[in-house]
Amino acid sequence: MSVSSLLKKKCYVNGKWISAKDGAVFVVTNPSTGEIVGEVPDMIEGDTNEAIAAADAAFQTWSQTTAKERCQILHKWNDLILKHKEELAEILTKEMGKPLKESMGEIGYGASFVDWFAEEARRVYGDVITTPAKGRKLFAFKQPVGVAGMITPWNFPHAMVTRKAGAALAAGCTVVLKPAEDTPFSALALCELGEQAGFPPGVLNVVTCSRPNAAKVGNAICTSPLVAKISFTGSTAVGKILLKTGASTVKKFSLELGGNAPFIVFDSADVDRAVAGLIVCKFRNSGQVNPL
């Protein structure tokens, strides 16, 4: 498969590649060269609500699939990602700007989440709980919550999609995802491979928008009564806004918010090795990463 066949310039909603209702688009450029990578739809509230409705309809059947069925599709998705890692890495480098070698590393890193969650789908166990009264049995079992709304950042445009969507899809949830406006093509390429892997229409949906419309799309996701869960990686300031907006419908939130990524060196550490490790951590990915 060529890069051009994975470089999708429309949004993926309900198993179809679509434009914004009003036909609006915005341009994505290579931050290293300034070259235009392509145009994608500039969606707003109405477009987003359609994607949410499609995800909610698909949830009614996807949530009833067996863990084995979801596991098999996720493994196929993982295999396709690894099969096309060169093309995916080239797309990632074009839109995000990181070196191709580092993009290749991210594709493998992102695929590892899909592989992991494919197996975790089989291990969503419940509990048998001791009861305070005779003649009673108490069970706790886990169920998918519903539609998961996701907003991903630009620094890891592939791995942040697989890490969030992989978990939700494995659990039996459906997804509406808004990638960063700087890096939408990696998410759209994953939709193409997801369709080939066998995800039914409406299970995985991606809506794109420009920065001026980001608040509109985010608000639609946070206020929709059909969305049960929000996952966001980004700044603390935006995280607070999303949490406040989503409170009106009492949504569940998973937030990975910004920080200064402190690097702690203990007295017992080898300082020279610590410094060498710190340089790698702080300069990797143009500094857009939290050291571990």
Side-chain angles (χ1 to χ4, degrees), residues 6-286:
L6 283 177
L7 190 69
K8 298 296 183 180
K9 299 181 180 180
K10 291 188 177 182
C11 291
Y12 188 70
V13 174
N14 203 23
K16 299 178 181 178
W17 296 100
I18 66 170
S19 302
K21 283 184 174 182
D22 60 4
V25 297
F26 68 99
V27 173
V28 178
T29 58
N30 183 322
S32 176
T33 65
E35 175 189 3
I36 293 176
V37 180
E39 296 179 340
V40 290
D42 193 4
M43 292 191 157
I44 53 176
E45 298 99 321
D47 304 290
T48 307
N49 287 329
E50 279 196 7
I52 293 170
D56 180 62
F59 175 73
Q60 310 310 315
T61 52
W62 181 249
S63 60
Q64 300 303 309
T65 57
T66 65
K68 181 179 180 181
E69 289 172 321
R70 297 194 297 274
C71 172
Q72 290 173 337
I73 294 176
L74 284 163
H75 271 311
K76 289 179 183 177
W77 198 26
N78 174 62
D79 291 342
L80 287 166
I81 290 170
L82 294 177
K83 180 180 178 181
H84 299 291
K85 60 183 179 181
E86 289 86 2
E87 300 97 305
L88 292 170
E90 186 174 334
I91 290 171
L92 199 162
T93 290
K94 282 184 176 180
E95 66 177 349
M96 190 269 176
K98 68 175 68 175
L100 188 59
K101 183 177 180 180
E102 195 152 328
S103 293
M104 287 286 286
E106 182 179 337
I107 301 305
Y109 174 57
S112 72
F113 289 121
V114 180
D115 184 51
W116 173 266
F117 288 120
E119 290 302 315
E120 285 299 290
R122 299 175 182 266
R123 291 187 281 270
V124 183
Y125 302 135
D127 290 300
V128 179
I129 304 166
T130 302
T131 63
K134 293 181 179 179
R136 295 183 181 179
K137 293 183 178 180
L138 188 59
F139 301 93
F141 56 95
K142 298 176 182 178
Q143 294 180 308
V145 295
V147 178
M150 302 176 177
I151 301 175
T152 55
W154 62 270
N155 58 339
F156 288 94
H158 173 87
M160 291 299 95
V161 173
T162 57
R163 188 171 78 173
K164 294 178 186 295
L169 295 168
C173 296
T174 53
V175 170
V176 175
L177 185 142
K178 186 201 85 66
E181 62 273 11
D182 304 294
T183 55
F185 290 112
S186 289
L188 295 171
L190 283 168
C191 288
E192 169 62 29
L193 297 181
E195 182 177 285
Q196 293 179 29
F199 287 119
V203 169
L204 177 61
N205 307 274
V206 169
V207 295
T208 61
C209 71
S210 63
R211 186 163 299 181
N213 283 333
K216 298 176 183 177
V217 171
N219 185 72
I221 293 173
C222 284
T223 58
S224 172
L226 300 180
V227 176
K229 167 85 177 182
I230 301 289
S231 179
F232 168 74
T233 297
S235 71
T236 302
V238 173
K240 289 179 178 179
I241 294 172
L242 295 175
L243 192 60
K244 181 179 180 180
T245 307
S248 63
T249 47
V250 197
K251 299 191 189 308
K252 297 177 182 292
F253 272 83
S254 292
L255 302 174
E256 182 191 8
L257 304 181
N260 294 320
F263 190 92
I264 301 172
V265 180
F266 291 98
D267 292 338
S268 59
D270 181 322
V271 176
D272 291 336
R273 290 181 66 186
V275 170
L278 175 62
I279 295 300
V280 171
C281 287
K282 285 296 186 180
F283 283 89
R284 183 170 78 89
N285 204 51
S286 300

